[in-house]
Amino acid sequence: MISLKNDKEIQKIREAGHIVFLAHEAVKEAIKPGITTKELDEIAENLIISHGAVPSCKGYPEGSSNPFPATCCISVNDEIIHGIPSDRILKDGDLVSVDIVADKDGYFADAARSYIVGKNEKAKKLIQITEGCFWEALKLAKVGKRISDMSHAIQEYAEKNGYGVVKEFQGHGVGFAMHEDPGVPNFGKPGRGPRLEQGMVLAIEPMINEGSPEIEELDDGWTIVTEDGKLSAHYENTIVITKSGPIILTLN
Ligand code: MF3
Ligand code: CO
């Protein structure tokens, strides 16, 4: 079931989105050679808690024997998503993807960013195209369009630039929970799936590989990596569909 959100509810999700944004800004500021991914995670966690919100990934899913143990998913280089913050020390040239979900008073927002530690031209191009995939999808985030119109735009933009689209994970509805209907795939033919309606809140999140789209899961039960060991980038925002176009809830 797809839940539509009213203006008051959207305002609450925006509050959560603002806190997610602030957490990303704090992490971005701290990223430099020598810092560990666990230290970055602590910065985001403190920011979220100090704003009266909850880091939604920590302990997720409830009741699991192997819940996610941290606030942020931090995925380095060939890690695509769901990397676990650790004592790993970041070094010049690393590509770092940070995914943060927070809920405030029961309203959830979700966003991811990829950064480069210092310089890495290959990573820079990959991140640009991954962000571009999101913006291509956003052009189609209009009342009356269908979910897979956005999916198709993402795939086309990535593949035309020579990159691989991760297909096993996808965007999703968000707002009253971390994951809601509908799924928002990053690939597919246009003209399929539910029609976009005013009040739909969606996390759109292309995960794009430098090389092959194939993935593997590590033994930690969380970390997803590229099969070929090449780089991967991730970019995600929570948006709301309105009559006058999409509004991004995690960009400020
Ligand atoms: N941002 C991720 C998503 O889009 C959050 C999942 S991480 C988990 O689904 F640890 F919470 F599972
Ligand atoms: Co998400």
Side-chain angles (χ1 to χ4, degrees), residues 147-161:
I147 289 288
S148 88
D149 295 337
M150 299 190 289
S151 310
H152 178 73
I154 290 169
Q155 180 176 26
E156 191 171 69
Y157 190 73
E159 291 182 353
K160 141 180 128 187
N161 282 283

Side-chain angles (χ1 to χ4, degrees), residues 99 110 172 179 203 205 236:
D99 191 351
D110 184 359
H172 48 91
H179 295 129
E205 50 175 319
E236 173 180 33

Side-chain angles (χ1 to χ4, degrees), residues 99 101 110-112 170-172 174 178-179 203-205 234 236 238:
D99 191 351
V101 188
D110 184 359
Q170 61 181 6
H172 48 91
V174 62
M178 179 157 63
H179 295 129
I204 298 180
E205 50 175 319
H234 187 197
E236 173 180 33
T238 296

Side-chain angles (χ1 to χ4, degrees), residues 27-33 35 40 75-77 90-98 113-129 131 231-234:
V27 169
K28 178 168 75 180
E29 200 57 37
I31 286 184
K32 48 181 157 327
I35 197 162
L40 294 177
S75 310
V76 182
N77 295 336
L90 294 180
K91 57 182 198 325
D92 197 58
D94 281 343
L95 189 169
V96 187
S97 298
V98 182
R113 303 281 182 263
S114 287
Y115 304 108
I116 300 165
V117 185
K119 271 205 174 120
N120 180 334
E121 286 306 318
K122 269 199 312 193
K124 188 175 165 186
K125 173 88 195 300
L126 177 63
I127 292 169
Q128 273 171 1
I129 300 301
E131 294 182 359
L231 298 174
S232 187
H234 187 197

